[in-house]
Amino acid sequence: MTVYEAELVVDRKEFAADGVLALTLRHPLGEELPAWEPGAHIDVVLGPELERQYSLCGDPADRDAWRIAVLREPDGRGGSAHVHEQLGQGDKVRVRGPRNHFALRPAPRYRFIAGGIGITPVLPMLAAAEAAGAEWTLLYGGRTRRSMAFTEELSRYGGDRITVAPQDETGLLDLTSVLDDVPEGTLVYCCGPGPLLDAVEARCPAGLLHVERFAPKEQEGGENTEFEVELAQSGKTLTVSPDVSVLDAVRAAGVEVLFSCTEGTCGTCETDVLDGTPEHRDSVLTQEEQESGETMMICVSRCRGKRLVLDL
């Protein structure tokens, strides 16, 4: 599958909240950008070995521009610092995508929960739910009101469907009010820090819940063992030792494959499994998708047996 990749121009750069920069990206020649749907993200290549994923939080109908928002993380790995300190208006940046592992499924009712920068993929979901005539509510939390992005943009919806709950004013989010007595046919979408997602997962039936993680979920994978991987397209058979990932083994064999986070959170390296049973260690696929065994994230996942056949 061909993935869109291009250098885009930072057309606009502005603060959406304390510590949150919103960037509007356009093609330097004015070309249309690929279509996307709520929940999609793009890969942003900030430099050698510095690539990050950011949710698209603008209007999917606007094919002339993409909007992302970046939280400054003082203890991060350098991506947010690069965006905040070095990437300026008029600069070019290479992007790939969009990809979507957090797609909004049709439903008559939604309950959205966002924590901090997790509001970014939820913003276009609200607009889509509104346009579809669905019932919806949003519970939005953050450290302080000033740190919560796009609150002014949310105010256009009016009514009491949106609850903005800064922690310094209201304490931890009242998940009980949102997740108890969920009506039949309701889907729950949640994005934010790991502790929030863990709390929501503990309260919400898996079939109703859709989450997106910005950091890898703690895994309970077993001991790494050696196994073989057959690459169906390339005609190669590789041995993956316990201290090597499938991704690293494939690259060492000279086979080109797209990858980014190497943590199992972005979905870039998702690969079709033709035979064998993966041991999933990613934070992207739903439980149902993992149980189907049709694809795997080769940066972190391994094999439950002795052999896998991949469509590479």
Side-chain angles (χ1 to χ4, degrees), residues 102-270:
F102 193 44
L104 185 67
R105 298 182 182 179
R109 284 172 295 278
Y110 299 98
R111 292 191 177 176
F112 298 105
I113 304 171
I117 199 63
I119 190 63
T120 50
V122 173
L123 275 179
M125 290 184 176
L126 300 181
E130 184 81 351
E135 298 176 16
W136 60 267
T137 62
L138 167 66
L139 178 61
Y140 177 23
R143 297 187 311 278
T144 67
R145 192 173 295 272
R146 289 176 59 86
S147 72
M148 299 172 68
F150 304 117
T151 53
E152 183 176 343
E153 190 168 316
L154 290 171
S155 66
R156 70 184 178 90
Y157 290 106
D160 58 358
R161 292 178 294 178
I162 296 176
T163 301
V164 176
Q167 187 173 348
D168 65 338
E169 298 177 21
T170 64
L172 296 176
L173 289 179
D174 181 9
L175 298 179
T176 300
S177 65
V178 178
L179 298 178
D180 282 7
D181 300 321
V182 176
E184 185 177 352
T186 303
L187 293 183
V188 179
Y189 280 78
C190 180
C191 185
L196 171 62
L197 300 185
D198 293 341
V200 172
E201 285 183 336
R203 289 172 173 266
C204 189
L208 304 181
L209 178 62
H210 302 268
V211 303
E212 182 170 62
R213 292 180 177 269
F214 295 139
K217 184 179 181 180
E218 185 174 343
Q219 301 291 337
E220 299 179 355
E223 182 180 354
N224 288 359
T225 58
E226 184 175 284
F227 57 94
E228 285 190 345
V229 173
E230 179 183 338
L231 308 183
Q233 293 185 35
S234 307
K236 297 182 178 183
T237 298
L238 316 176
T239 298
V240 181
S241 60
D243 59 343
V244 172
S245 69
V246 176
L247 173 64
D248 288 342
V250 168
R251 295 183 67 211
V255 177
E256 292 294 326
V257 59
L258 287 177
F259 69 97
S260 181
C261 74
T262 69
E263 295 182 325
T265 58
C266 73
T268 303
C269 69
E270 184 174 11

Side-chain angles (χ1 to χ4, degrees), residues 80-91:
S80 67
H82 182 97
V83 171
H84 279 248
E85 297 173 9
Q86 300 184 44
L87 194 61
Q89 189 166 332
D91 288 348

Side-chain angles (χ1 to χ4, degrees), residues 29-107:
L29 300 180
E31 297 179 7
E32 276 195 345
L33 301 177
W36 60 280
E37 295 181 351
H41 70 265
I42 57 173
D43 303 329
V44 181
V45 182
L46 300 169
E49 306 300 322
L50 190 60
E51 185 173 321
R52 298 292 182 265
Q53 291 71 45
Y54 299 110
S55 297
L56 292 171
C57 57
D59 180 2
D62 183 1
R63 298 289 299 277
D64 294 326
W66 283 344
R67 184 178 69 170
I68 60 174
V70 181
L71 170 66
R72 176 64 188 268
E73 299 183 84
D75 299 325
R77 296 180 297 158
S80 67
H82 182 97
V83 171
H84 279 248
E85 297 173 9
Q86 300 184 44
L87 194 61
Q89 189 166 332
D91 288 348
K92 291 184 178 180
V93 62
R94 180 158 292 276
V95 303
R96 286 197 304 264
R99 297 184 180 85
N100 199 339
H101 290 279
F102 193 44
L104 185 67
R105 298 182 182 179

